[in-house]
Amino acid sequence: MAEGSSSRVLRTNSSTRPANPVPSPFSRRSQPPDSVSTNFHGVAQMLKFIALALTALVSFSPSWVTAQAQPKVKEKVVVGLAHEPPYTNFQAGGTLSGAAPDLLFRIMKDFGVKELDPKVLEFGAMIPSLQAGRVDVISTGLYINPMRCKAVLFSEPDLCTAEGFIVPKGNPKALNSFSDVAANDNIRYGVCGGCSAEKRATELGVPRSRITIAPDHQSGIKMLLDGRIDVYAAPDLALRSAAEAMGVTDRFEVRPVAGEPAKCSGIAFRNDQRELRDLVDRKLEALKQSGEYDKIVSKYGFDPKLARMAKRADLCGGAN
């Protein structure tokens, strides 16, 4: 990111001398020998030099500490995201809300950021856009996993939820897990391109020939409405939000995917942004400790306890 921070430096005037020097402890009645007087004068001069040196060091230190503690960022940060309520909700008029951008802005404003500039992307395009510098960070519910950890730096988990299926009411084809989808050759499976549920399905045996890619969750649910697929997979909170917005909750239901652990996302950074990532980690942890984190994410339906229990190193399969 471009530079945009400044620090205040305290300066010391080394020519300043005390107006009223401290009188000598030796009175006229009892003058010490010349050698003692000379030694005392030398010690006094040395003490004065040390005091001035310490004063100059103290004056210099705040500038150095501030420079290390505050990352250099732009006042307007370009954020890669998907339209995926309740993670992120970007309306055509320019309104941006959701747990991910709210949390990101709360952290970044302490670094001098005044505005988030959203750039809506498909999940498969997010990491390439970050690496190419077209966006400054990604904050949208991008799950942390070992493959992604090789490409980018993640913050500690910011939001956690469960993987979900949206199916017709009553789940007539008994689709409760990825294995259920893989076992039935007639099941047509929908998922957003680049989403973790795409990779997970193929790992568990769902062939590519039965997978249909959707650009976003609303498009995926529309495919379900049109009978083009039998099930669509995405984070359960995102599916519920999309189904409610589309007014289809009377016809479809969202179910957690059996056998799948909670999935956690993080704020993603380029590999040359490690200092910024580490500082964001500290701010995020402070918000979790203070309870402010709970207020930000719980209003969007997220369970704050899940992100506290999850660790980036476990999700990455090692250091990141």
Side-chain angles (χ1 to χ4, degrees):
M1 299 182 186
E3 298 186 7
S5 62
S6 61
S7 57
R8 183 178 179 183
V9 180
L10 302 177
R11 302 190 182 277
T12 302
N13 186 350
S14 59
S15 65
T16 303
R17 298 289 185 269
N20 297 306
V22 178
S24 169
F26 300 103
S27 68
R28 288 184 179 179
R29 295 179 184 177
S30 178
Q31 285 288 352
D34 291 343
S35 60
V36 174
S37 176
T38 301
N39 288 340
F40 176 79
H41 179 73
V43 170
Q45 290 294 103
M46 183 176 293
L47 290 174
K48 185 181 296 183
F49 174 79
I50 292 172
L52 288 172
L54 289 173
T55 302
L57 180 61
V58 170
S59 299
F60 176 72
S61 294
S63 173
W64 182 85
V65 172
T66 302
Q68 294 298 315
Q70 295 295 337
K72 296 175 180 179
V73 297
K74 299 179 291 189
E75 289 188 353
K76 183 164 74 172
V77 171
V78 182
V79 185
L81 52 82
H83 177 66
E84 189 186 27
Y87 287 94
T88 45
N89 187 350
F90 181 60
Q91 299 298 323
T95 303
L96 177 63
S97 62
D102 283 9
L103 188 58
L104 176 68
F105 185 69
R106 173 59 188 87
I107 292 169
M108 288 294 194
K109 74 176 185 179
D110 286 348
F111 301 149
V113 173
K114 296 180 179 179
E115 183 182 352
L116 299 181
D117 182 12
K119 187 174 182 65
V120 178
L121 301 164
E122 293 186 14
F123 273 92
M126 287 184 184
I127 289 178
S129 294
L130 177 64
Q131 292 172 326
R134 291 190 288 272
V135 298
D136 298 315
V137 297
I138 299 169
S139 180
T140 190
L142 186 70
Y143 286 164
I144 305 170
N145 62 43
M147 182 175 292
R148 288 172 176 165
C149 292
K150 293 177 182 178
V152 297
L153 299 176
F154 278 102
S155 70
E156 286 291 343
D158 61 350
L159 300 167
C160 298
T161 185
E163 201 72 83
F165 283 166
I166 183 167
V167 295
K169 278 280 190 181
N171 193 16
K173 297 187 178 181
L175 302 175
N176 298 303
S177 68
F178 289 117
S179 297
D180 291 338
V181 176
N184 189 333
D185 292 339
N186 296 317
I187 296 300
R188 298 159 301 170
Y189 174 79
V191 66
C192 61
C195 291
S196 63
E198 178 187 3
K199 182 174 183 290
R200 186 65 174 145
T202 58
E203 288 176 343
L204 294 178
V206 181
R208 285 282 175 187
S209 60
R210 290 200 280 118
I211 297 177
T212 300
I213 301 299
D216 52 55
H217 301 329
Q218 291 76 16
S219 299
I221 294 175
K222 181 66 165 55
M223 291 178 184
L224 199 58
L225 281 166
D226 295 340
R228 295 172 55 195
I229 57 176
D230 301 294
V231 57
Y232 182 80
D236 59 353
L237 289 179
L239 288 176
R240 289 191 180 93
S241 178
E244 290 170 2
M246 296 174 71
V248 298
T249 54
D250 59 330
R251 298 175 56 187
F252 296 94
E253 63 180 83
V254 177
R255 306 173 66 88
V257 180
E260 294 298 305
K263 302 292 178 108
C264 297
S265 64
I267 304 165
F269 303 86
R270 291 189 305 276
N271 288 327
D272 63 355
Q273 295 175 303
R274 184 174 296 276
E275 181 183 4
L276 175 59
R277 190 281 303 271
D278 292 347
L279 289 168
V280 167
D281 273 350
R282 293 176 201 145
K283 292 285 186 182
L284 177 58
E285 179 59 25
L287 291 177
K288 289 178 179 178
Q289 292 294 333
S290 71
E292 187 175 355
Y293 168 84
D294 298 39
K295 295 177 182 177
I296 293 171
V297 305
S298 60
K299 70 179 181 180
Y300 291 103
F302 290 93
D303 183 348
K305 296 191 296 295
L306 295 177
R308 284 198 178 86
M309 294 185 293
K311 298 297 180 185
R312 174 180 59 228
D314 295 333
L315 298 169
C316 285
N320 174 237

